[in-house]
């Protein structure tokens, strides 16, 4: 049986800020070198001596705020958690961006569509510090 | 620029606040990185003017393969006229700068002129802004970082470089701090920016760089194989584990660990300042540069009681590396990790090169001991191991506290010209020495290297890996490596990963993103860049024959015993002859 998995942000205290997760997400999922295309964003919180944080879809189950906010039904519930973008329905209104309390819906100004984490797990393969993991939903 | 077959150069004149962008296909002959920087620098430098004249340029350049497209290819080169040596200033930095420049869409930036009052330059993909930095003037490095970080909302990847008080006061070895604990360290870029009234530069970008569909598969395959080589093999293990500080014990065992102003190559209290000691007592986290999975940046922590208080402490985090442990540790006789971190913190906050600061203070300490200096000059007595006074002295240098400290801020070569003690002012062609007393390789290599750095040609590796080389073998080895590093620095591959990026790997990486690389091309590029740097060096008036080496190098035994001045001189002459030979072909090299 194929159990759906979702991306879990685990141990950000171990994060070294290498951005390999962002690079691999942008490269594999968007065929792009720009980190702006990555569905996961690594940010410094608290400055030089502070720690790193990952801003990425948490894989909501139940009502997904982003999907609820979408006026055209372009975000479909993904099995196991999170949402799937149906690009042909998306008008680029950015309501999903505003709706997610984590700020985890990033926006691609080139395609004028949101960048939605697919929970594909590529980023976890390039994180050598165990910060990111795939978990069974 | 990646996939575009042209080099995009941003020119900014700070005096007139004018900007232009040029796409220069002709610069492809120099590939990228240090090649493009050298060419742009050669075009814009003014050999007849002083190093800190406002017309002198500062050039920044990223590598030919962009930045962070492959693991550990993520550095930026800077070129300027060094106020320390009066010659070619060349320095490299990691962090996020190259990534930000790449994402902003610039391969190189040329700054000329001078702001009429302190400003900071904000570079984005949309252009530049000149922002008032008068409130930031006088601030320490981390304060500036925080002010800018918190007040500007970036769009995309951002890098922040800034100078501390030392740069404002034009200390000849003032550094530029970049992002988290990375620096344009050597040769005084901080003073150059200070002289231009540039307190900081931010670079932000989020350009779209699609990977061409026909190259995606090959690119990702090569990316993954390099990533696996870096993370899955032992090649870079030492940088991940204890970090470069692991050299402390190994160099000490070779009698090559400069101690107490190089009166010895062996430090008695070495265990207490080893990488192991730092790891056990102080290491709190490790970090990486953007696009590199190796966490080589080691951050140590110490706590310090507030002055004259009860149980009140501040916690300080700062970065340590081998070079810092040598220059601000053994070289000054500091015996604990906490004390070394405390001194590193002072150097970091004031914004100075750690090696030059430590070596200059080493000279001052011995000159004080020998009675060449008194507290009339030094303000506090200087003694090996006296951390508290060293911390004060660092602030005196950065603040140019009196005539003596202003002079010490020009480098210990200059200070010794006035106060004496040239025999133990430990410079190599006016640049303060690095932490390797390994033999002729490092000594001659640093003197002949285009920027007198231990990184020009890896001389210490020749010393370490060979029992005894003839003078001819040594200089040939140095020249070969210097040219090879000119080549790798055209992509600006991090030096730590040089064993990962052998030529076949470089060729595969380049081809996967559309560069038709082969061995002959790489050799030619290395040669052309080397020749360009030699031309610059000649125009700036450097003459190998004029170099005076302090006698101490030939008194203190190192890895291969006591060195002979005669042999060093012979090697320098041989090298000069090799370069002359090399330059004969420079007109036709293509
Ligand atoms: S994008 Fe935000 S709201 Fe939507 S499923 Fe993910 S975490 Fe939930
Ligand atoms: S799980 Fe996939 S889509 Fe989501 S951030 Fe990671 S690589 Fe990107
Ligand atoms: S790959 Fe891991 S260590 Fe690197 S930035 Fe991402 S979460 Fe942090």
């Amino acid at each position: 049986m194929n159990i759906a998995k979702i991306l879990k942000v685990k141990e950000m205290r171990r994060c070294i800020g290498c951005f390999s997760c962002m690079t691999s997400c942008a490269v594999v999922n968007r065929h792009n070198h720009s980190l702006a295309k990555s569905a996961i964003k690594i940010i410094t919180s608290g400055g030089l001596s502070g720690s790193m944080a990952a801003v990425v879809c948490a894989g909501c189950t139940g009502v997904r705020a982003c999907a609820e906010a979408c006026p055209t039904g372009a975000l479909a519930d993904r099995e196991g958690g999170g949402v799937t973008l149906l690009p042909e329905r998306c008008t680029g209104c950015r309501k999903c961006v505003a709706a997610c309390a984590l700020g985890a819906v990033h926006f691609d100004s080139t395609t004028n569509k949101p960048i939605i984490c697919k929970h594909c797990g590529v980023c976890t393969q390039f994180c050598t510090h165990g910060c990111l993991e795939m978990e069974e939903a | 620029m990646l996939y575009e077959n042209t080099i995009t150069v941003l020119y900014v004149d700070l005096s007139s606040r004018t900007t232009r962008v040029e796409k220069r296909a002709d610069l492809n002959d120099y590939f990228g990185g240090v090649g493009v920087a050298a060419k742009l620098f050669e075009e814009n430098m003014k050999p007849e003017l002083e190093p800190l004249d406002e017309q002198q340029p500062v050039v920044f350049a990223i590598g030919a393969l962009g930045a962070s497209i492959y693991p550990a290819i993520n550095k930026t080169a800077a070129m300027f006229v060094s106020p320390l040596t009066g010659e070619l200033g060349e320095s490299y930095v990691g962090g996020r700068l190259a990534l930000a420049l790449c994402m902003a869409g610039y391969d190189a930036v040329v700054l000329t002129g001078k702001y009429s009052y302190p400003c900071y330059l904000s570079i984005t993909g949309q252009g530049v802004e000149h922002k008032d930095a008068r409130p930031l003037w006088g601030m320490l490095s981390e304060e500036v970082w925080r002010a800018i970080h918190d007040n500007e909302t970036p769009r995309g990847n951002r890098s922040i470089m800034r100078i501390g008080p030392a740069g404002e006061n034009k200390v000849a070895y003032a550094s530029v701090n970049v992002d988290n604990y990375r620096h344009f360290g050597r040769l005084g870029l901080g003073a150059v920016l200070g002289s231009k009234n540039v307190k900081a530069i931010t670079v932000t970008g989020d350009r779209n760089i699609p990977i061409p569909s026909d190259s995606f598969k090959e690119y990702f395959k090569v990316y993954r194989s390099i990533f696996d080589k870096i993370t899955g093999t032992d090649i870079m293990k030492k940088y991940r584990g204890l970090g470069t500080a692991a050299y402390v014990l190994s160099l000490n065992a070779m009698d090559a660990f400069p101690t107490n102003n190089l009166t010895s190559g062996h430090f008695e209290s070495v265990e207490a300042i080893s990488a192991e000691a730092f790891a056990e007592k102080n290491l709190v986290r490790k970090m990486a540069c953007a696009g590199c999975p190796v966490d080589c940046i080691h951050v140590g922590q110490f706590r310090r009681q507030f002055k004259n208080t009860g149980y009140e402490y501040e916690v300080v985090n700062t970065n340590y590396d081998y070079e810092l442990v040598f220059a601000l540790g053994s070289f000054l006789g500091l015996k604990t990790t906490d004390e070394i971190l405390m001194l590193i913190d002072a150097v970091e906050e004031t914004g100075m090169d750690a090696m030059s600061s430590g070596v200059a203070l080493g000279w001052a300490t011995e000159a004080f001991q020998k009675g060449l200096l008194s507290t009339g000059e030094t303000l506090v007595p200087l003694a090996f191991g006296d951390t508290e006074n060293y911390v004060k002295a660092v602030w005196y240098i950065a603040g140019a506290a009196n005539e003596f400290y202003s002079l010490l801020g020009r480098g210990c070569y200059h200070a010794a010209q006035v106060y004496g003690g040239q025999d133990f002012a430990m410079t190599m062609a006016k640049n303060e020495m690095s932490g390797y007393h390994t033999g002729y390789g490092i000594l001659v290599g640093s003197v002949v290297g285009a920027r007198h750095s231990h990184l020009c040609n890896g001389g210490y590796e020749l010393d370490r890996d060979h029992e005894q080389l003839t003078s001819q073998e040594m200089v040939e080895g140095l020249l070969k490596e210097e040219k090879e590093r000119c080549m790798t620095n055209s992509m600006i591959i991090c030096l730590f990963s040089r064993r990962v990026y052998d030529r076949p790997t470089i060729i595969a990486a380049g081809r996967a993103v559309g560069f038709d690389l082969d061995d002959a091309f790489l050799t030619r590029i290395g040669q052309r860049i080397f020749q360009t740097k030699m031309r610059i060096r000649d125009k700036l008036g450097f003459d190998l024959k004029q170099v005076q080496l302090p006698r101490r190098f030939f008194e203190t035994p190192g890895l291969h015993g006591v060195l002979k001045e005669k042999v060093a001189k012979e090697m320098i002459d041989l090298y000069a002859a090799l370069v002359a030979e090399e330059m004969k072909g420079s007109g036709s090299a293509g």
Side-chain angles (χ1 to χ4, degrees), chain B residues 245-448:
Chain B
Y247 299 152
V248 167
L249 288 183
S250 55
L251 278 152
N252 193 64
M254 296 178 207
D255 286 333
F257 187 41
T259 297
N260 292 355
N261 203 40
L262 198 67
T263 47
S264 173
H266 188 89
F267 189 47
E268 292 218 336
S269 314
V270 72
E271 305 285 343
I273 65 165
S274 63
E276 290 78 358
F278 274 100
E280 278 155 28
K281 290 176 59 183
N282 307 93
L283 180 62
V284 286
R285 82 187 280 202
K286 292 195 261 175
M287 296 165 94
C289 298
C292 173
V294 179
D295 45 346
C296 77
I297 305 171
H298 286 57
V299 181
Q301 187 174 75
F302 68 96
R303 62 175 204 161
R304 168 163 63 194
Q305 195 162 15
F306 295 162
K307 276 267 171 295
N308 312 320
T309 63
Y311 294 108
E312 288 187 288
Y313 296 91
E314 60 177 341
V315 166
V316 183
N317 287 345
T318 195
N319 158 244
Y320 64 90
D321 260 306
Y322 172 69
E323 300 294 356
L324 287 77
V325 179
F326 130 73
L328 302 171
S330 64
F331 204 78
L332 299 175
L334 267 50
K335 294 189 185 65
T336 67
T337 55
D338 275 6
E339 288 173 278
I340 294 174
L341 290 175
M342 207 176 292
L343 193 55
I344 292 175
D345 179 56
V347 169
E348 175 87 14
E349 286 290 67
T350 52
M352 299 199 285
D353 178 60
M355 279 191 263
S356 284
S357 304
V359 172
L361 286 173
W363 166 81
T365 307
E366 195 170 332
F368 185 86
Q369 280 180 344
K370 293 198 152 86
L372 299 173
L373 298 171
S374 70
T375 47
E377 285 89 26
T378 58
L379 303 176
V380 288
L382 297 177
F384 292 118
D386 185 347
T387 310
E388 204 174 311
N389 284 350
Y390 281 138
V391 170
K392 288 183 186 150
V394 163
W395 286 91
Y396 293 148
I397 297 173
N402 61 14
E403 208 177 309
F404 165 72
Y405 280 107
S406 308
L407 197 56
L408 195 57
R410 290 188 56 206
C412 64
Y413 174 86
H414 290 286
Q417 298 294 311
V418 174
Y419 293 97
Q422 290 101 321
D423 288 346
F424 54 85
M426 302 315 296
T427 59
M428 292 152 159
K430 298 187 190 158
N431 191 16
E432 280 76 16
M433 74 176 290
S434 56
Y436 307 81
H437 188 46
T438 47
Y440 295 111
I442 187 67
L443 183 57
V444 174
S446 303
V447 170
V448 302

Side-chain angles (χ1 to χ4, degrees), chain B residues 180-243:
Chain B
N180 307 318
Y181 311 113
R182 301 291 84 192
H183 315 86
F184 282 116
R186 307 229 69 188
L187 297 169
L189 180 61
V192 181
L193 292 187
S195 74
K196 294 182 175 306
N197 270 331
V198 174
K199 180 67 179 174
I201 303 176
T202 65
V203 183
T204 315
D206 62 355
R207 196 165 61 99
N208 179 33
I209 314 177
I211 302 169
S213 52
D214 54 346
S215 65
F216 174 75
K217 240 178 111 188
E218 182 60 19
Y219 162 71
F220 190 56
K221 199 181 98 198
V222 177
Y223 175 87
R224 176 164 250 172
S225 73
I226 295 172
F227 190 92
D228 290 347
K229 202 166 157 190
I230 286 182
T231 58
T233 68
D234 281 348
I235 306 177
M236 294 186 75
K237 200 172 165 189
K238 64 178 172 205
Y239 301 111
R240 295 201 301 261
L242 290 169

Side-chain angles (χ1 to χ4, degrees), chain A residues 16-20 23 27-28 31-37 44 46-50 52 110 125-126 128-129, chain B residues 3 69 103 142 145 180 207-211 216 219-220 223-224 227 231 285-288 291-293 295 317:
Chain A
I16 59 169
C18 70
F19 297 174
S20 302
T23 307
V27 164
V28 174
H31 290 204
N32 205 296
H33 291 301
S34 174
L35 301 190
K37 308 297 182 199
T44 35
L48 278 183
S49 37
M52 303 301 227
T110 317
Q125 294 169 30
F126 286 88
T128 50
H129 282 71
Chain B
Y3 308 125
I69 306 295
M103 293 303 160
E142 187 167 343
W145 180 87
N180 307 318
R207 196 165 61 99
N208 179 33
I209 314 177
I211 302 169
F216 174 75
Y219 162 71
F220 190 56
Y223 175 87
R224 176 164 250 172
F227 190 92
T231 58
R285 82 187 280 202
K286 292 195 261 175
M287 296 165 94
C292 173
D295 45 346
N317 287 345

Side-chain angles (χ1 to χ4, degrees), chain B residues 562-576:
Chain B
V562 176
L563 303 178
K564 295 194 186 68
E565 188 162 7
K566 207 171 134 266
V567 177
K569 285 247 157 77
E570 175 186 275
M571 289 184 185
I572 292 172
D573 290 344
L574 278 172
Y575 192 90

Side-chain angles (χ1 to χ4, degrees), chain B residues 113-136:
Chain B
K114 176 184 178 175
Y115 284 129
S116 52
Y117 57 85
C119 286
Y120 80 87
L121 175 67
S122 159
I123 299 175
T124 70
Q126 286 71 46
V128 311
E129 271 184 80
H130 311 277
K131 301 190 177 178
D132 193 338
R134 281 173 291 197
L136 306 179

Side-chain angles (χ1 to χ4, degrees), chain A residues 6-8 21-22 24-26 28-30 37-41 55-57 115-125 132-134:
Chain A
I6 54 162
L7 170 66
K8 278 285 169 210
C21 50
M22 286 201 271
S24 58
C25 180
V28 174
N29 292 313
R30 314 298 299 273
K37 308 297 182 199
S38 168
I40 182 168
K41 296 273 190 283
V55 183
V56 67
C57 172
I115 301 170
I116 300 287
C117 171
K118 296 173 176 168
H119 296 274
C120 66
V122 167
C123 54
T124 65
Q125 294 169 30
L132 309 171
E133 265 176 34
M134 292 306 285

